[in-house]
Amino acid sequence: MPKANKDYGPRIPAPKYDQIKRTSEQEVLEELGLQRPEDAVHARPEDLVVKAAGILAQADAEIALHLDERDRALAHLWFYEQRLGLAATAGLGNMGYRQALATVMFGNKKHVHELPTGTGEELAAAAEAAEIERVDDAEEMLLKAAPIVFAARARRDVAVRLMQEAVFALSEKPYDWKPEQIAEHAGVERSLVYKQRAAARRRRGL
C-alpha cells in the first residue's frame, strides 16, 4: 500500500521463510516416519491418521497462541510507524497482509477494501479512532511471532494433506471405516473427517 510523496519508516529484514518452510515440512515427515509425502501410500493409514491429527492440533494451537501478537504488531507498524515491506517481514502475500490489518481494525478480514489510506497522521488518526493499540517493541514482537505462525502453518499444510490421504485410505477397502469410526480413532471431530475425505476425493476426481 505504499504511496508516492510519503515518508515511510525503514524496512524490517524478513526472516528466511523459504528455509523455515523446508525445515518445518521435513520435521513433519520425520515425525511421521516418512522421507517424502509420496511415501504415505506405504504407511499404515490407521497410524498415520492419528499422528497427522496430532501434528495438526499442535500447529493450530501454536497459530492461535501467536497470530494475535503477529497481527497487533503488524497493525502498529503500519498505522503508527508506516514501515515498508511488512508483508514480506510477516511471511505473507499482499492480500494476506491486508486481511491481517483488516482483522485488527474491523474484526473481520473481509473488510480489506475499507482499510484507510492517507498521510501518516491520517493513518494514525484512523487507528486511534478504531482503538488499535500501540505496541511497545512491535518490531521485536513481529519478528518473534511471525516465523512461529509461518512455521506452524507450513507444518499444518503437510499434516492436513497426509491426514486426507489416511482418511481416504481408511474409507476404502479393505478398511471401509465410517467417518465416525475414523474420527473416534483419530480423536477429532467427525466434521473434520468428512472435510478431509472430500478434499482427498476431489484430488482424485471422484
Side-chain angles (χ1 to χ4, degrees), residues 37-91:
E38 307 90 87
D39 296 335
V41 298
H42 305 299
R44 293 172 60 90
E46 65 270 40
D47 295 335
L48 182 60
V49 74
V50 172
K51 293 178 181 178
I55 294 170
L56 180 61
Q58 182 181 25
D60 283 343
E62 289 184 13
I63 292 169
L65 185 62
H66 296 283
L67 184 62
D68 182 62
E69 292 180 353
R70 186 202 71 181
D71 290 353
R72 288 191 296 113
L74 274 177
H76 170 90
L77 291 166
W78 174 247
F79 287 108
Y80 294 120
E81 296 187 24
Q82 292 88 53
R83 306 289 286 275
L84 281 174
L86 291 174
T89 305

Side-chain angles (χ1 to χ4, degrees), residues 15-27 150-151 154:
K16 296 180 179 179
Y17 285 114
D18 287 344
Q19 182 60 52
I20 291 173
K21 184 174 187 291
R22 288 192 296 270
T23 300
S24 300
E25 291 173 347
Q26 191 58 42
E27 287 174 353
F150 185 93

Side-chain angles (χ1 to χ4, degrees), residues 150-163:
F150 185 93
R153 284 183 167 163
R155 292 196 303 275
R156 188 185 198 282
D157 288 345
V158 177
V160 165
R161 181 67 177 264
L162 295 175
M163 186 177 177

Side-chain angles (χ1 to χ4, degrees), residues 134-150:
R134 293 179 181 269
V135 178
D136 294 333
D137 300 321
E139 180 175 337
E140 180 181 347
M141 179 186 288
L142 178 61
L143 289 173
K144 177 182 178 183
I148 294 174
V149 172
F150 185 93

Side-chain angles (χ1 to χ4, degrees), residues 80-189:
Y80 294 120
E81 296 187 24
Q82 292 88 53
R83 306 289 286 275
L84 281 174
L86 291 174
T89 305
L92 295 168
N94 186 58
M95 180 54 69
Y97 165 63
R98 290 172 60 83
Q99 288 174 339
L101 293 180
T103 298
V104 176
M105 176 162 260
F106 304 110
N108 191 320
K109 68 179 183 180
K110 295 181 179 179
H111 294 286
V112 292
H113 299 298
E114 299 174 36
L115 287 169
T117 58
T119 65
E121 291 78 8
E122 289 168 339
L123 285 176
E128 292 282 6
E131 298 184 347
I132 294 176
E133 67 175 304
R134 293 179 181 269
V135 178
D136 294 333
D137 300 321
E139 180 175 337
E140 180 181 347
M141 179 186 288
L142 178 61
L143 289 173
K144 177 182 178 183
I148 294 174
V149 172
F150 185 93
R153 284 183 167 163
R155 292 196 303 275
R156 188 185 198 282
D157 288 345
V158 177
V160 165
R161 181 67 177 264
L162 295 175
M163 186 177 177
Q164 288 170 358
E165 296 302 311
V167 166
F168 181 82
L170 290 171
S171 300
E172 301 294 307
K173 293 184 181 302
Y175 294 93
D176 283 328
W177 285 17
K178 299 297 183 184
E180 294 79 7
Q181 184 179 358
I182 299 173
E184 182 177 359
H185 179 73
V188 299
E189 295 292 330

